[in-house]
Amino acid sequence: MLVADDRIDRRVLLQARSLVRAGMRVTVVASPHPAEEAQDLDALAWPEIEILRIRPEMPTQTSFDATVTRLGALGALADALFVHHAHFLEAAMMRPADLVVAHDLPVLATALTVADLTGARLHFDAHEIFAEQRRLPVWRRIIYRALERRLAPLADIVTTVNQSIADEMARRNHIPRPGIILNVPDVTASRTEQRGRGLREKLGIGEQPQLILFHGAFFGNRNLETLIEAMSYVRDPACMLVLMGPDGEEKQALKGLAQSRHLLGRRVHFLPTVPQNELIALVASADIGIIPYPGVDKNTIYCSPNKLFDFIVAGVPILANDLPELRRFVVDGGVGLVHAMTDARAIAAGIDRIAADDKIAMREAARRLAPQMCWSHEERAFLSLYGLSAAEVE
């Protein structure tokens, strides 16, 4: 499995662990772990999986003629689009395999090269519509679209994360509709019975406030600045926003914004990220989960992020921007509300709306839906791609 992440997406690690339990040997080739971490936290949390981190500072020794692979003339683009192409290729060639998995578009050309040089089958697992991200330069988007259109039909297996992206990939790449593996967490049942006081204990506050939680990375284009500004306009005085995620420049900038609005420590609070095995229990102590992602590009419009399923499994009512996949799960599932999050005042109106709504009914709906939103359920669909059944997992 090739994945360009430094902190590896749980989707990758859950798939790898399921295959290990089914008797396969799995190696995940990934970028170096974050510099601020003294140890590889993914390797510590998932000891059953071999995680092979590349070493960009070391020169590569592997060389080959790209024309002997199905990349052909496109081989020259692999290095241009993915800076660690040569290092990933060399690392993967050290572990010959029967099947190579490209976890998202940046490593697809590398995975195809490995598959062609070793005779392995190829699985392309698209985590998103990577080529449509507005943050990418226009020239990169154009080339990525062309690369995916050329390479996706060459994969033996193609999967993605939701219905909208599956339909879009089939249309643009002229391939059968990809299989769908949801980004669900590794729990076996709803945690609604175990709400606890986790967030309140960490913040040192009582029961009265309604805690609105956003957790995850603080990337740009997630509407977080506007979300913080919105807390100035929320009418319900009991509402507090909690942003939980990794430290870094983005987090400091958001803290500075909250401070400038005189919200920090009053209506806006920040917490550090927590390990995956602690996350759902902590999420379950929130009163409302918020997904404010703006529809700035096709990738975001069709998103179904990990936190969507975290909230459902934890039994937390959801307030989400009105986007197709969020509406599909939140409204159709009865687990929350969607609201147009066009500006700070609109977000504030949405928060006031859900704060006054019947969240007991939303929690009950989440309790009913949760068993289908766990990896123990989704694992069956994944294993069937490899001709395996859940009965073969130890």
Side-chain angles (χ1 to χ4, degrees):
M1 292 185 170
L2 309 186
V3 56
D5 299 343
D6 48 10
R7 291 305 309 272
I8 303 171
D9 191 284
R10 75 176 179 213
R11 176 183 185 85
V12 180
L13 296 166
L14 287 171
Q15 291 180 18
R17 187 173 67 185
S18 292
L19 293 175
V20 169
R21 288 177 175 176
M24 293 190 176
R25 293 172 57 192
V26 180
T27 300
V28 175
V29 180
S31 297
H33 66 80
E36 64 271 16
E37 295 178 0
Q39 294 179 291
D40 187 340
L41 300 184
D42 291 323
L44 288 174
W46 305 77
E48 66 271 52
I49 302 167
E50 181 187 25
I51 297 177
L52 184 60
R53 300 284 186 173
I54 63 161
R55 299 180 62 188
E57 73 279 4
M58 299 294 292
T60 56
Q61 306 297 322
T62 301
S63 61
F64 67 97
D65 180 1
T67 61
V68 305
T69 75
R70 286 175 289 174
L71 274 177
L74 290 175
L77 293 175
D79 281 312
L81 290 174
F82 181 42
V83 65
H84 296 317
H85 166 72
H87 287 88
F88 268 68
L89 175 61
E90 183 167 88
M93 293 296 289
M94 291 170 56
R95 302 288 195 278
D98 299 301
L99 189 139
V100 181
V101 185
H103 277 286
D104 230 350
L105 185 56
V107 295
L108 180 56
T110 312
L112 178 70
T113 302
V114 175
D116 282 357
L117 293 176
T118 62
R121 298 173 73 221
L122 176 65
H123 175 186
F124 174 33
D125 186 36
H127 296 193
E128 56 194 332
I129 311 180
F130 192 90
E132 298 303 326
Q133 297 178 84
R134 193 174 72 170
R135 66 181 180 83
L136 296 174
V138 173
W139 69 268
R140 277 187 174 267
R141 281 181 260 167
I142 293 171
I143 296 176
Y144 269 130
R145 288 179 198 128
L147 197 67
E148 183 175 344
R149 195 159 50 243
R150 172 73 175 87
L151 301 187
L154 302 180
D156 298 285
I157 301 170
V158 181
T159 53
T160 190
V161 298
N162 63 45
Q163 294 182 34
S164 293
I165 294 180
D167 291 339
E168 179 67 14
M169 288 183 67
R171 182 193 64 79
R172 67 169 56 200
N173 298 319
H174 307 290
I175 59 175
R177 190 169 183 265
I180 297 171
I181 306 296
L182 300 178
N183 285 324
V184 295
D186 182 30
V187 292
T188 55
S190 171
R191 300 291 182 88
T192 50
E193 300 88 350
Q194 305 174 23
R195 286 191 61 191
R197 299 190 69 256
L199 289 173
R200 286 173 167 79
E201 289 176 354
K202 286 182 177 292
L203 295 171
I205 60 176
E207 297 298 326
Q208 184 60 29
Q210 290 202 61
L211 298 184
I212 306 157
L213 175 65
F214 175 93
H215 67 286
F218 300 134
F219 295 141
N221 291 331
R222 291 197 165 183
N223 228 10
L224 299 181
E225 296 84 358
T226 312
L227 174 59
I228 289 172
E229 183 183 353
M231 295 307 297
S232 298
Y233 305 112
V234 172
R235 294 179 179 178
D236 188 335
C239 289
M240 291 184 179
L241 174 65
V242 180
L243 296 115
M244 184 169 68
D247 293 333
E249 293 181 5
E250 298 92 346
K251 189 173 189 177
Q252 289 305 311
L254 292 173
K255 280 186 173 181
L257 175 60
Q259 181 71 54
S260 70
R261 292 269 176 177
H262 306 291
L263 298 168
L264 187 63
R266 296 174 55 247
R267 303 204 75 176
V268 178
H269 302 266
F270 289 83
L271 289 174
T273 191
V274 297
Q276 278 289 326
N277 61 356
E278 301 174 16
L279 179 62
I280 298 300
L282 196 58
V283 169
S285 65
D287 298 286
I288 299 165
I290 193 163
I291 308 176
Y293 294 3
V296 296
D297 53 40
K298 192 169 286 189
N299 183 57
T300 311
I301 289 170
Y302 292 152
C303 73
S304 53
N306 288 4
K307 59 179 61 63
L308 168 65
F309 304 102
D310 294 343
F311 290 140
I312 293 173
V313 168
V316 176
I318 301 169
L319 175 66
N321 200 3
D322 194 358
L323 303 174
E325 287 295 322
L326 298 181
R327 173 174 281 276
R328 184 195 308 278
F329 286 97
V330 174
V331 175
D332 294 356
V335 297
L337 304 174
V338 294
H339 190 92
M341 298 189 180
T342 52
D343 56 38
R345 291 184 184 276
I347 295 176
I351 291 173
D352 282 323
R353 181 181 161 208
I354 194 169
D357 211 317
D358 180 9
K359 290 186 286 298
I360 294 177
M362 296 174 189
R363 287 187 180 276
E364 287 300 320
R367 190 194 306 273
R368 293 190 296 271
L369 190 58
Q372 303 169 47
M373 300 291 115
C374 304
W375 182 248
S376 57
H377 179 273
E378 205 66 12
E379 182 182 50
R380 300 171 196 151
F382 170 69
L383 290 174
S384 69
L385 297 169
Y386 292 78
L388 301 169
S389 70
E392 297 178 69
V393 177
E394 295 178 2

